[in-house]
Amino acid sequence: MAYLKIFRYDPSGGVEPHFKRYELPPEKGMTILEALFWILENKDPSLAFRCSCREAVCGSCAVHINGEYRLACKTQVDPLGEEITIRPLTHLPIFKDLVVDMKPFFDQYEKIKPYLMPKEEPPESKEYFQSVKDRKKIDSLVDCILCGACYGSCPVAMGDPDYLGPHALLKALRFVQDTRDGAKTERLAIVATEHGVFRCHTIFNCQKVCPKDLDPTGAIAKLKMKSIGFKLKSMFGFARSAG
Amino acid sequence: MNIFKAIGGTYNEVRLNPNVGTWSFLLHRLSGILLAFYLFMHLIVIATSPGNAGAFDSRLAAVQTRLFHLLEIGLVGVIFFHMLNGLRILVADFFYLTRQHQKLLWIVVIIFIIIMAYATAVMLPKVFHREVTEVAQIVGGLR
């Protein structure tokens, strides 16, 4: 028999932060997300949590489960033992129970301009060309689902609310390494700041918790080197305007 | 951010992320603060010491106590932990060895243990006001 200890809090409804314990039915193969749905349908219809795709693609259901940030849909109940504690993501304001306000998270993300800014117009009636070799440079980076697990696990985000965060920096590298993109200098100017790559203390938590097994710490390390090059170039006055 | 909020937040981070990375980050910070404090105290003691040699020696004699000799072993530990962990982070960052950070940590731990074992063997006799050679003689006599 497993028990779920879930963080409950409703600032607008006057419910103080506390943990509530729910007993789960013995069911083989049940995920945490299914368990949350079972509680919602059978025990407590007031429980709030986020989800969408149920197959580790949308990144909506990231929560803190037994000492680690994980996706509820990708985590099985069985291996976690008898008592499972679930908390919302940290470093973000709580709306209700396990639902947090992702606005600060996406505000940081938007700062790196997460869209392609091409060097030139595409060939007439064709798409931008990219070789297989060049595509491989951004292979793993495009897999980020922006679930917020890395941001929640990063102690730097606790102390510096302006810190861009592992998610934004990983995506910044995705565009910096994209051969079709023409705004490398512009992006490096955004990340090569005290709230950007230089704020990262290489703690490795983001790498540890990433549900897609990406390496945001490694991405930030690469961006750090590129940022150092960019800063040196800027200092000696020969930074290129683009590309 | 006030100091109480920072301490509470740090406690929360360690509790929610009980990972090797969080602990090494926390210990790196604490050792850094201790070293800054030590450097400050060290400079004060040296800067306020009297000019002539005899008076300077007597000022330094004040820290030649058992407690300070014991703290010196701790100082070696703090310096080497901070230095080796800092090198580990630099190596991981500069050589893109972020996926190997746990292995790098084990290397740091092994080097740290070797250094501390040597430093303790050399420095511990001083805590008991003995020279290393004296201890070697005592150990030799026991055989």
Side-chain angles (χ1 to χ4, degrees):
Chain A
M1 190 68 72
Y3 295 90
L4 240 56
K5 219 173 96 185
I6 303 174
F7 179 84
R8 304 299 309 267
Y9 177 41
D10 186 1
S12 57
V15 179
E16 291 296 308
H18 67 283
F19 281 92
K20 201 166 175 185
R21 206 160 174 264
Y22 302 94
E23 195 181 320
L24 288 178
E27 196 178 309
K28 214 171 161 53
M30 185 185 247
T31 64
I32 294 290
L33 186 61
E34 284 166 349
L36 291 173
F37 268 114
W38 186 87
I39 292 165
L40 185 77
E41 284 159 11
N42 299 289
K43 299 267 181 179
D44 192 343
S46 71
L47 179 66
F49 56 92
R50 262 204 195 104
C51 74
S52 181
C53 74
R54 305 182 187 209
E55 51 189 5
V57 174
C58 74
S60 309
C61 63
V63 281
H64 185 271
I65 307 166
N66 273 14
E68 202 174 315
Y69 294 89
R70 318 173 205 225
L71 295 180
C73 67
K74 206 185 160 194
T75 310
Q76 297 253 321
V77 171
D78 263 353
L80 294 173
E82 267 199 10
E83 188 157 286
I84 302 157
T85 309
I86 304 178
R87 295 178 171 89
L89 292 175
T90 36
H91 310 142
L92 295 165
I94 298 169
F95 275 144
K96 186 176 185 282
D97 302 336
L98 302 175
V99 179
V100 292
D101 180 5
M102 297 294 278
K103 192 175 181 301
F105 176 84
F106 283 109
D107 282 349
Q108 307 294 26
Y109 177 56
E110 271 178 28
K111 281 183 190 165
I112 61 117
K113 302 187 176 176
Y115 38 84
L116 204 68
M117 294 193 272
K119 290 177 217 170
E120 61 225 4
E121 289 295 307
E124 205 172 319
S125 71
K126 284 182 180 170
E127 70 272 29
Y128 289 103
F129 174 75
Q130 189 172 44
S131 69
V132 174
K133 196 178 155 202
D134 285 342
R135 175 60 176 75
K136 277 208 179 301
K137 288 179 190 167
I138 55 167
D139 248 3
S140 62
L141 301 167
V142 294
D143 290 346
C144 174
I145 55 173
L146 295 167
C147 63
C150 58
Y151 191 76
S153 75
C154 180
V156 180
M158 181 264 292
D160 181 5
D162 294 325
Y163 175 50
L164 287 175
H167 63 298
L169 293 172
L170 181 122
K171 284 286 187 182
L173 185 70
R174 177 247 175 274
F175 288 103
V176 165
Q177 294 205 148
D178 195 323
T179 48
R180 298 164 299 178
D181 195 67
K184 184 178 172 184
T185 315
E186 198 178 323
R187 287 185 213 284
L188 286 178
I190 296 165
V191 300
T193 63
E194 61 171 316
H195 299 298
V197 286
F198 300 124
R199 178 65 76 200
C200 168
H201 292 291
T202 323
I203 305 169
F204 302 105
N205 280 354
C206 50
Q207 183 200 79
K208 170 105 177 30
V209 300
C210 180
K212 306 305 274 185
D213 199 27
L214 305 179
D215 183 12
T217 321
I220 296 169
K222 276 187 187 159
L223 267 187
K224 274 179 188 167
M225 295 303 275
K226 288 180 191 292
S227 298
I228 290 167
F230 164 76
K231 282 276 177 192
L232 287 172
K233 278 180 187 172
S234 311
M235 262 163 57
F236 295 107
F238 53 89
R240 284 170 295 166
S241 57
Chain B
M1 181 179 281
N2 69 48
I3 185 80
F4 296 110
K5 211 173 164 190
I7 292 170
T10 307
Y11 169 72
N12 224 20
E13 292 299 322
V14 176
R15 198 167 56 95
L16 297 178
N17 302 291
N19 306 326
V20 166
T22 314
W23 279 109
S24 71
F25 167 68
L26 184 69
L27 292 174
H28 198 77
R29 276 287 154 115
L30 287 176
S31 58
I33 292 167
L34 281 173
L35 285 176
F37 178 71
Y38 165 75
L39 192 66
F40 185 67
M41 297 307 285
H42 178 73
L43 289 174
I44 284 180
V45 169
I46 299 295
T48 58
S49 292
N52 67 74
F56 185 77
D57 284 350
S58 66
R59 167 64 66 91
L60 288 195
V63 290
Q64 299 301 311
T65 63
R66 282 184 174 187
L67 174 69
F68 276 93
H69 286 313
L70 196 65
L71 286 173
E72 276 173 351
I73 300 176
L75 179 66
V76 171
V78 170
I79 288 172
F80 275 96
F81 172 78
H82 197 80
M83 190 180 83
L84 292 169
N85 195 47
L87 281 173
R88 165 183 158 260
I89 292 165
L90 282 177
V91 166
D93 260 352
F94 275 87
F95 299 101
Y96 308 133
L97 292 172
T98 45
R99 288 277 189 201
Q100 277 80 39
H101 77 97
Q102 297 232 14
K103 279 182 204 156
L104 290 174
L105 188 73
W106 280 115
I107 295 169
V108 163
V109 168
I110 290 165
I111 297 172
F112 180 75
I113 289 171
I114 292 168
I115 288 170
M116 284 316 288
Y118 179 74
T120 310
V122 172
M123 296 169 77
L124 199 60
K126 272 203 152 188
V127 176
F128 303 102
H129 298 301
R130 304 263 186 193
E131 291 302 320
V132 179
T133 46
E134 263 184 88
V135 176
Q137 280 169 2
I138 295 165
V139 174
L142 289 174
R143 279 187 190 150

